Amino acid sequence: MAETDAGLLMRKNGLGDLSVLSDQLILATIFSQLDKRDLIKSIPFVSKVFYIFGNEEFLWKNLTLNEFGGDFIFQSNWKVTALTPRHLQKYDAKEHFQPKKTIQIQGFSSNELYYRWYLSHLNLNNFQVDFGHIERKNIKELTFNQFVEEYDGPAKIVMLKGVTDGWLAKENWTREKIVERYGHVQWKISHKGNQKMTMNLKDYLHYSSLQNDEAPLYVFDSDFGEKVPEMLKDYKVHDFFKEDYYELLGESRPKSRWIVLGPQRSGSPWHTDPDGTSAWNSLIKGRKRWAFYPPHIVPPGLTLHPNGRGLYTDLDAPFPVEWFYSIYPTLLPHQRPMEVTQEEGETIYVPRGWWHIVVNLEDTIAVTQNFVNQCNVRDTLEELSESKKRTKDFEVFSTLLKENHPEYTRLVQAVELEKKERDDAKKKRKEKEEKEGKAEESVNKGYPFDLWLALQKVCAHHSLEVPQEKYEVSVPPDSTNRVFLYNDTVFKFFSNKPTGPGAPRGFRSFEREKNILKALQICNDEEETLCPELIGTGRVRFDSSSNNFVIESEEKKELKEGKEGSEWKEESTIYYVISSQLEGEAVRDVFAVLTDENVGEVVDYLAQSIRKIHECKQIPALLGGQKEWKDFLTKQNDNMIENHTKWTTVNLQLIDQMKDYIGERNVLLEESNRKLYLLHGDLNDENLIGVYSAEKEGADVKPQNGTTYSPEEYLKKLFGWETSGIIDFGDALLGDPIFDLVALHVSVFRCDKRLLKRFLDKYGSDRWTELKQGRDGLSFAKIAMCYTLWHPCDALKTVYLKKPHFMKLMKLEELERALWDLSDVL
């Protein structure tokens, strides 16, 4: 009989009916419930397999912690520690109890047991990485304003050198000195369990020097400053991190500083820092490997808490070594996190919302602090407002913030309004569900009939494959009009609900989308795609008399916008556009992890593509001309104060300045012969689509025909991001190209003036010079700022999201310079 067959037979005979369960399940749900008496006096005598399982170290570790908490002296292993009475436990390894006889069992194997043994004996000395994902900077080369502009404001991770220069901690926080000084102090211990525990430092360091755990105990103490105040004198918070609005809470502030100490293989599982805070972490001794995912990407292997805000129990998260060795290898290169190794003396800045995991590569000692400042105060307010258990905390913090920093009054009001709207919507939804039963309201909201059935009929009408099951169809959650993705095809349905006098907004968007896609088809070529390919358009209505859908495609009946048409007045009719699906995802979802080279290529693509749009000759008549553009600007100017007051984004002090800033006779409102261009109208980061090179259809990153790649070429093929095209032309209009720059700059470029300048240079300086002529000396920055104030989509909200520190600017001229003045860009 083969050795493996003998092992399987031993397992089956040794476990009996339990053999149908996995080893992991048996250990986790059955053996973990047993006590010491069971594991010593009963389990070994059942079978050889039971004996093997009963000796698993993690079972004895749990028994030790359950019985002693942190009051134990680690012996040679966890089993011996658990079986040795506390008063007999010794520090000297020679005095540790040793079993008189070890039983050797041949012929049994278990992947689960081997995996645990392997992880607990890993040596991580050579586990460091540095792919260049995280920028390294000497803090002496940065000013405070540069740090805010380049890292804190845009929420960009950076590894800083020089922060710990002159710290006494570098000399005082060695293992020998802290044991001598603080060995008697009880420290909070982080571990893979649900009970709180502390250990004195002498016992902990003794344990850490002997352990072979897959998830070692880890000192993570938020009260070290109260226990040993002299340790606070050993380090100094750098000026970059001193601003902390949570200090307004006084003694009731949440925990904000920790001493972190642990051996090789210890660390923190995937998590985001609490309350939308940012953090800095200075490594005094040792080395750490960090990995990061941006806020919107949940790391593989995690199960989120139902609130979806990144809160989860530690028990749900794989411990660091487990994640790196079981999940990480299964990820494709472009799916892997951003990574960096922190060396002794370095400080890493972790911005608000970023997921991170940390594993210690050797014995480490670090200090870390969280803070709320001008760049993340909105995140903190929003996270507090969205937590049911933190309502009182939100009210107290909001009140103190308004009293001490009146510049944030409007921000607090905006968050309070969002909270009220969210609570009201939830209440209405619950009442409706109780009354009518749960329905697919989210998909069909705003439409007169079931869009799933309409989708099937539209597919059949256009001779496209008809989806049979709803799970086959993807429904993006954040689209203004209802969108279905199926078989590389996009089906967009436009709501026909009345939105005021004239044609409904949904119908107007349909007309623009349809006609602009037609006009731009000539711009697509084999080398570069500008926009999706138009497949079909039409309208669909439900005929109650025949109990069926009636579809009229464009080929059968020309749809025209105008008062003489009756189509748009029929609320039972909706309109649709079918187009090809561009490959990839929105730049919004990947921007945070793109390389500088990728971002530059995106900017260059946009400059060339948007100029093509602006210069398109086939301009649909429905967009109008000079009168329509002037009417649009006049309406936006007339409604400017009302809109900004309603949006609650901008401080009232800025709103009071708007009319004077625009002026009584603004030349932009009086132009009647300016050449107009086709504008996209909403060039935000959701409407630019791209794909990683390695994910591109038909992509093959392997060298062909014996050729080889340089490391740089290979990485570009793996991690390069290529633009696929621009989508969503429902807001297209005829007007000044500078207007298109508002959404582009504040959303896609993240208000980075270096990217804006690169775009303008690539687009062509001739155009911008031409556009400034004859405008009474208005600068480019002034024109762009006027359009920002007039923009119908609350552009300043996006500005403050990307550049939170701009909220402190109390003059529109200052905001103009910070946002649009390119004279300070090299």
Side-chain angles (χ1 to χ4, degrees), residues 33-45:
Q33 304 302 313
L34 304 177
D35 59 23
K36 287 193 292 187
R37 180 180 294 273
D38 294 327
L39 291 176
I40 288 295
K41 295 194 173 182
S42 302
I43 291 301
F45 303 103

Side-chain angles (χ1 to χ4, degrees), residues 579-590:
S579 63
S580 62
Q581 182 179 351
L582 295 180
E583 197 173 3
E585 55 195 330
V587 70
R588 172 197 62 185
D589 298 328
V590 299

Side-chain angles (χ1 to χ4, degrees), residues 418-663:
E418 291 169 2
K419 181 180 184 329
K420 182 179 184 304
E421 291 174 346
R422 190 168 56 247
D423 292 343
D424 290 345
K426 185 176 181 180
K427 182 179 179 181
K428 289 181 181 179
R429 186 166 60 250
K430 185 176 180 181
E431 291 174 350
K432 186 169 184 178
E433 287 177 1
E434 291 175 351
K435 184 178 180 181
E436 304 176 4
K438 199 167 184 178
E440 294 185 37
E441 180 185 351
S442 60
V443 172
N444 296 320
K445 185 177 180 181
Y447 294 86
F449 43 72
D450 190 337
L451 291 183
W452 165 251
L453 297 177
L455 172 66
Q456 291 180 309
K457 294 296 183 181
V458 167
C459 286
H461 180 82
H462 287 272
S463 301
L464 300 171
E465 183 178 344
V466 178
Q468 300 302 315
E469 300 291 344
K470 293 183 179 180
Y471 70 81
E472 299 176 315
V473 179
S474 175
V475 183
D478 52 359
S479 54
T480 303
N481 298 291
R482 182 55 56 205
V483 175
F484 296 94
L485 308 177
Y486 177 63
N487 268 3
D488 298 326
T489 306
V490 179
F491 301 83
K492 183 181 289 190
F493 291 91
F494 297 81
S495 173
N496 202 28
K497 286 189 71 173
T499 52
R505 180 179 177 183
F507 179 78
R508 296 197 300 270
S509 295
F510 159 74
E511 284 287 291
R512 283 160 172 73
E513 182 92 6
K514 173 187 69 173
N515 286 286
I516 300 303
L517 285 180
K518 279 184 180 179
L520 293 178
Q521 294 304 302
I522 59 172
C523 298
N524 287 337
D525 54 49
E526 294 183 2
E527 294 185 0
E528 191 170 69
T529 301
L530 177 61
C531 64
E533 176 187 352
L534 183 64
I535 297 174
T537 65
R539 66 177 186 172
V540 56
R541 62 183 176 86
F542 185 75
D543 184 4
S544 56
S545 61
S546 63
N547 198 32
N548 203 353
F549 288 94
V550 177
I551 298 176
E552 293 179 335
S553 59
E554 187 179 43
E555 293 75 22
K556 295 184 179 181
K557 181 180 176 67
E558 184 69 25
L559 297 176
K560 297 180 180 179
E561 180 181 12
K563 293 183 179 180
E564 71 280 0
S566 61
E567 294 90 348
W568 56 264
K569 293 182 180 179
E570 301 171 11
E571 290 187 45
S572 61
T573 301
I574 60 175
Y575 302 87
Y576 64 85
V577 170
I578 309 172
S579 63
S580 62
Q581 182 179 351
L582 295 180
E583 197 173 3
E585 55 195 330
V587 70
R588 172 197 62 185
D589 298 328
V590 299
F591 191 92
V593 295
L594 293 182
T595 65
D596 290 343
E597 183 180 3
N598 287 156
V599 172
E601 291 169 350
V602 168
V603 173
D604 293 347
Y605 168 87
L606 284 169
Q608 296 169 351
S609 300
I610 293 171
R611 180 144 190 171
K612 287 182 181 179
I613 294 173
H614 289 171
E615 295 181 344
C616 179
K617 303 300 182 184
Q618 298 185 19
I619 299 177
L622 62 92
L623 297 182
Q626 294 285 350
K627 180 180 183 304
E628 285 73 16
W629 173 244
K630 186 175 180 179
D631 289 347
F632 168 76
L633 293 183
T634 300
K635 179 181 177 182
Q636 294 306 121
N637 184 60
D638 292 344
N639 296 335
M640 177 177 61
I641 303 299
E642 179 183 347
N643 284 339
H644 285 286
T645 302
K646 176 181 65 178
W647 290 331
T648 67
T649 297
V650 181
N651 195 291
L652 292 174
Q653 187 174 335
L654 289 180
I655 294 178
D656 290 341
Q657 300 171 31
M658 287 183 181
K659 281 197 172 182
D660 289 338
Y661 178 85
I662 296 296

